[in-house]
Amino acid sequence: MHGPEVEGYRYPPDCPFLPQRAGMLADLLRRQGLLEGAGVGLAAVVPAPVCDLLTFHRLDYVEALRRVSGGDFCPGDLAYGLGMPETPVFPDLYGYALMACGASLGGADLLRDGGARRVFNPTGGFHHARAAEAEGFCYLNDMVLAAERLAREGGRVFCLDLDAHHGNGTQEAFWRRRDVLTVSFHESGHTLFPWGGFEDEIGEGDGLGFNVNVPLPAGCDDRAFTLAFQSPVPPLLDAFRPDAILLEVGMDVLAVDPLAHLSLTNNATADAVGLLASHGAPILATGGGGYHAEATVRGWALVFSLLSGGEETDLTAGLGGVFLGTGDWGPGLRDPGFQRGGEEEERVLGEVRRVIDRIGRDVFPLHGI
Ligand SMILES: [Zn+2]
């Protein structure tokens, strides 16, 4: 989901969120020939109509967004979370947020009507936005809207969030629902915004056990992440039997990211995506965080190549650094492997084991696992 219609939007210069990553990704995919395979293509984005936002967002909030975006900000808008350092008010933020939602909703429609089996929307993944509150660079929650669309008429949606930050807005939206199973992997709320997403937050009422959090300790490397991922995800997928998978691919998990403190390489995300792709359910993947632009775009290109069914290594071997115009990268789209080792590794693995044991005890029995 990308085209010139989503390019040109910019957050303020002092804000680390970079909408231009989507255009950079499209350029990289084009140069790599990854948009030319059979059955692969670009779909145009149309802005979401207001009525579609209201399946989750409150009308007064949507109207406030439109107003401040036009330059009319008043102190009362702070109650909507607007105008904070991580929710700046800037020209046409509303237009950008509508495009992001339109792209995820358009992707959901493609899955629903059989137009595609896999969709990637790099202008998406705004998982912190609440029904009437902006938070963490997020104004409208395209994840929630897309999950609602996919869950229409009894669809079962497996909503998996791989961003370094907890998907708190999405969790809140489906806290009491069992048709949308939310699973969030993220750096622990002990060390990173939004300071929550602990393993004991498992939903309530009808949704008890249908919200899963896997907090990862700072310094988590690929080996520990893979252990954390392999333990709950395959059994939950088997038990839940989703009709669609919604996937937030934040690339702020990478060791080079300036905001988060995880130590992953893009191999960890790629392996997770590969496991999901082997499941067979249609996938709508979105972008998300990722504050080292080049590393983020490279990781997304790798994810795109896996989702579009190509094995990326043959196609791109030896070309990554050249195409990106930087000498920092090795060949291909994959990062060099990294494993921490030593006492620090034991600390990280011990913490991951504690969390997955807890999920096994608290959540698995609710799914008959
Ligand atoms: Zn993030």
Side-chain angles (χ1 to χ4, degrees):
M1 306 300 300
H2 188 77
E5 61 279 1
V6 298
E7 295 189 6
Y9 293 101
R10 294 288 182 271
Y11 280 44
D14 57 345
C15 181
F17 189 85
L18 301 172
Q20 54 266 46
R21 297 168 304 160
M24 291 166 64
L25 173 66
D27 288 345
L28 177 59
L29 295 178
R30 231 175 253 120
R31 288 199 300 272
Q32 301 257 8
L34 288 166
L35 292 176
E36 288 164 12
V40 180
L42 284 173
V45 177
V46 294
V50 170
C51 60
D52 283 353
L53 307 179
L54 302 181
T55 57
F56 176 55
H57 291 289
R58 241 169 49 196
L59 180 60
D60 58 315
Y61 173 63
V62 173
E63 285 173 343
L65 276 185
R66 176 164 46 194
R67 178 170 45 74
V68 302
S69 184
D72 182 12
F73 179 81
C74 59
D77 295 325
L78 291 168
Y80 293 121
L82 293 167
M84 311 294 279
E86 292 183 339
T87 49
V89 167
F90 58 94
D92 219 12
L93 78 86
Y94 184 61
Y96 178 68
L98 290 183
M99 280 295 181
C101 293
S104 285
L105 286 167
D109 287 339
L110 278 171
L111 296 190
R112 278 164 53 87
D113 66 18
R117 293 286 297 169
R118 310 248 176 88
V119 177
F120 187 63
N121 168 27
T123 306
F126 293 94
H127 59 170
H128 296 308
R130 303 271 182 34
E133 194 175 347
E135 190 178 307
F137 312 134
C138 304
Y139 301 89
L140 295 172
N141 197 319
D142 62 296
M143 302 287 297
V144 171
L145 300 180
E148 289 278 11
R149 177 74 50 99
L150 292 166
R152 258 194 210 166
E153 296 148 21
R156 298 163 64 81
V157 184
F158 192 90
C159 183
L160 179 64
D161 191 323
L162 300 180
D163 194 278
H165 300 88
H166 174 226
N168 55 343
T170 315
Q171 163 170 303
E172 192 173 289
F174 299 111
W175 185 246
R176 293 177 176 276
R177 297 254 299 259
R178 61 196 296 122
D179 55 339
V180 179
L181 172 55
T182 54
V183 182
S184 180
F185 289 81
H186 47 264
E187 180 178 334
S188 167
H190 290 304
T191 49
L192 193 68
F193 173 89
W195 320 115
F198 296 104
E199 62 274 16
D200 59 352
E201 299 168 30
I202 61 169
E204 282 182 310
D206 265 3
L208 184 68
F210 288 78
N211 186 88
V212 180
N213 283 306
V214 189
L216 304 166
C220 182
D221 65 4
D222 290 0
R223 181 178 166 208
F225 173 82
T226 301
L227 173 68
F229 190 83
Q230 293 280 355
S231 171
V233 171
L236 284 171
L237 272 174
D238 287 345
F240 185 66
R241 287 175 286 105
D243 299 300
I245 294 172
L246 178 60
L247 175 65
E248 207 264 25
V249 192
M251 278 291 167
D252 40 11
V253 293
L254 298 177
V256 292
D257 192 87
L259 296 194
H261 319 96
L262 300 175
S263 301
L264 301 190
T265 75
N266 64 24
N267 298 288
T269 303
D271 290 348
V273 171
L275 186 145
L276 293 172
S278 70
H279 179 267
I283 298 174
L284 169 57
T286 72
Y291 303 93
H292 185 297
E294 287 79 14
T296 296
V297 166
R298 190 160 166 266
W300 284 347
L302 177 61
V303 167
F304 183 92
S305 73
L306 290 167
L307 288 176
S308 59
E311 175 47 60
E312 79 292 346
T313 46
D314 291 346
L315 192 56
T316 59
L319 300 177
V322 176
F323 276 120
L324 278 160
T326 161
D328 294 345
W329 311 111
L333 294 170
R334 285 183 181 266
D335 292 334
F338 167 76
Q339 191 173 319
R340 184 168 290 286
E343 266 179 38
E344 180 70 357
E345 174 89 17
E346 286 312 309
R347 177 190 69 81
V348 166
L349 283 171
E351 176 60 12
V352 164
R353 284 193 194 101
R354 187 190 66 74
V355 167
I356 59 181
D357 285 352
R358 177 76 188 267
I359 293 166
R361 275 203 309 278
D362 292 354
V363 173
F364 281 10
L366 295 165
H367 294 268
I369 301 169

